[in-house]
Amino acid sequence: MKAKNVVIIGAGPAGLTAAIYTARANLQPVVLEGEPSSTSDQPGGQLMLTTDVENYPGFPNGIMGPELMASCRDQAIRFGSTMKTEKASRVDLTSRPYKIWVGDPTSTTPTIDTHTVIIATGARSLMLNLERENDFLGRGLSTCATCDGFFFRNQHIAVIGGGDSAMEEALFLTRFASKVTVIHRRNRLRASKIMQERAFSNSSIDFLWDSVVEEYLGESTLSGLQVRNLVKDELSTLDVSGCFIAIGHLPNTSLFIDQLEMKPNGYLITEEGSTKTAVEGVFACGDVQDDKYRQAVTAAGSGCMAAIDAERYLEALEH
Ligand code: NAP
């Protein structure tokens, strides 16, 4: 089997941007875009779960997340990327060429050999896993205040979680919302002291302690939450038109355990200012290595960096 120049694992903004760049550099990239296993697990990454995207440059009137991803995919194909609607099931990064399996991970024969790998497998927001959660995503339910806060001007919004992310989202949302209610399952926050103080001193934020959301209410868009107070064991309804889930993120890095360096929270480690991992010829871009910015445009930017890093690495190999 002739080794490929580049295999890109993942097809969100980072993976597809890496595909566009490596395809235009004539490297004939192969993109393992994943395969749909549920509505919340589809090729295209987290933007497939959003409706309007208004902060991606170039679209003054906004664009739907799935439409943006479909356009990026078409653009990658136009320059010669091969898209495979399959998931990598195993990788071997211990010797070159690197080996990637699709399908049965126990097979003795890898599916693809490749000189470089660009990892763009992204991250996913932890969810409450309640009924109709996927239906409401982008219709009142969100996992990103920076992306969607703007849509909730002068409305009452709930934020779920008690960590730094929840406090950050709640504080950000007070710029738009008439009121923000933080719903936390305990009576003490996990967030750092400084974030707690900021949230407590903001008069637009109130707290529902010892409380969990049990049901999303509404027809096609969210109109409220059914909340249980765990101490009193009482149910109540909170009338909100927006709900932001901020209970943490998980990077999709299980394929790389024991092969690539990770931070304690599971995100891949890349060399500062580049997309290089500690394994030569293996690059990581997008949310899988970014626990800080997590934006489509920053993911796309790092996808471009990974493509250029891979191209230069291949050039150096040839010489
Ligand atoms: P986190 O610290 O793990 O907090 C998650 C919060 O969600 C916790 O309060 C947890 O409750 C709650 N939670 C988890 N699962 C839940 C569930 N199923 N139902 C209801 N509540 C649930 O996550 P994070 O806030 O995303 O922060 C991750 C890391 O990034 C942290 O180290 C944090 O300091 C850092 N960070 C820093 C900043 C900043 O400094 N500006 C901003 C964002 C994130 P319990 O408390 O009961 O466990």
Side-chain angles (χ1 to χ4, degrees), residues 126-128 160-168 183-186 188-192 194-195 198 211-212 246-249 265 291 294:
L126 293 175
M127 302 299 288
L128 298 180
I160 300 169
D164 279 326
S165 293
M167 295 312 105
E168 202 168 66
I183 303 174
H184 184 37
R185 62 185 179 183
R186 293 187 294 139
R188 283 180 54 194
L189 296 176
R190 178 178 295 280
S192 55
I194 183 162
M195 295 298 279
R198 277 186 207 156
S211 298
V212 292
I247 60 172
H249 290 85
N265 60 6
D291 56 1
R294 298 185 181 124

Side-chain angles (χ1 to χ4, degrees), residues 18-287:
I20 293 165
Y21 271 77
T22 49
R24 292 190 79 253
N26 216 14
L27 295 174
Q28 288 111 23
V30 173
V31 183
L32 297 178
E33 62 175 351
E35 54 193 320
S37 56
S38 70
T39 38
S40 61
D41 182 14
Q42 303 184 33
Q46 295 178 79
L47 282 192
M48 299 303 284
L49 303 174
T50 55
T51 49
D52 290 304
V53 178
E54 289 192 333
N55 55 7
Y56 200 90
F59 300 95
N61 300 316
I63 183 166
M64 300 299 272
E67 191 186 338
L68 176 60
M69 287 301 91
S71 301
C72 292
R73 189 177 185 275
D74 289 346
Q75 196 174 351
I77 291 170
R78 178 179 160 217
F79 295 111
S81 305
T82 301
M83 308 299 298
K84 290 189 178 286
T85 312
E86 292 172 327
K87 266 188 176 156
S89 55
R90 176 181 156 200
V91 299
D92 180 354
L93 307 176
T94 54
S95 61
R96 290 195 306 227
Y98 302 122
K99 294 162 193 61
I100 298 177
W101 281 255
V102 164
D104 180 9
T106 60
S107 162
T108 48
T109 327
T111 318
I112 314 175
D113 284 353
T114 180
H115 295 299
T116 65
V117 182
I118 294 179
I119 299 167
T121 46
R124 57 186 184 278
S125 298
L126 293 175
M127 302 299 288
L128 298 180
N129 300 320
L130 297 177
E131 262 180 44
R132 299 203 291 158
E133 192 156 64
N134 289 331
D135 300 340
F136 283 121
L137 270 174
R139 293 178 180 79
L141 189 62
S142 170
T143 55
C144 175
T146 316
C147 317
D148 298 332
F150 188 79
F151 300 120
F152 296 91
R153 255 175 210 288
N154 302 319
Q155 298 177 36
H156 182 191
I157 305 177
V159 171
I160 300 169
D164 279 326
S165 293
M167 295 312 105
E168 202 168 66
E169 301 278 85
L171 285 160
F172 180 78
L173 288 167
T174 58
R175 298 182 196 186
F176 311 101
S178 54
K179 183 175 159 191
V180 176
T181 300
V182 173
I183 303 174
H184 184 37
R185 62 185 179 183
R186 293 187 294 139
N187 64 0
R188 283 180 54 194
L189 296 176
R190 178 178 295 280
S192 55
K193 266 274 162 315
I194 183 162
M195 295 298 279
Q196 293 198 23
E197 278 163 17
R198 277 186 207 156
F200 288 146
S201 63
N202 190 312
S203 59
S204 302
I205 301 179
D206 66 7
F207 291 82
L208 273 187
W209 301 107
D210 299 309
S211 298
V212 292
V213 174
E214 287 200 341
E215 196 182 335
Y216 299 117
L217 306 174
E219 295 289 326
S220 56
T221 57
L222 189 81
S223 62
L225 301 170
Q226 190 164 72
V227 180
R228 182 179 296 278
N229 182 301
L230 297 171
V231 174
K232 298 181 192 154
D233 197 22
E234 275 174 12
L235 276 178
S236 62
T237 301
L238 187 70
D239 293 326
V240 287
S241 46
C243 174
F244 287 75
I245 301 177
I247 60 172
H249 290 85
L250 262 191
N252 300 317
T253 49
S254 54
L255 273 181
F256 314 106
I257 290 170
D258 295 334
Q259 302 202 56
L260 292 176
E261 285 178 2
M262 296 178 192
K263 296 185 193 175
N265 60 6
Y267 285 77
L268 294 183
I269 295 178
T270 50
E271 199 178 276
E272 194 160 348
S274 111
T275 63
K276 291 179 189 168
T277 68
V279 177
E280 264 193 18
V282 178
F283 307 91
C285 55
D287 284 13

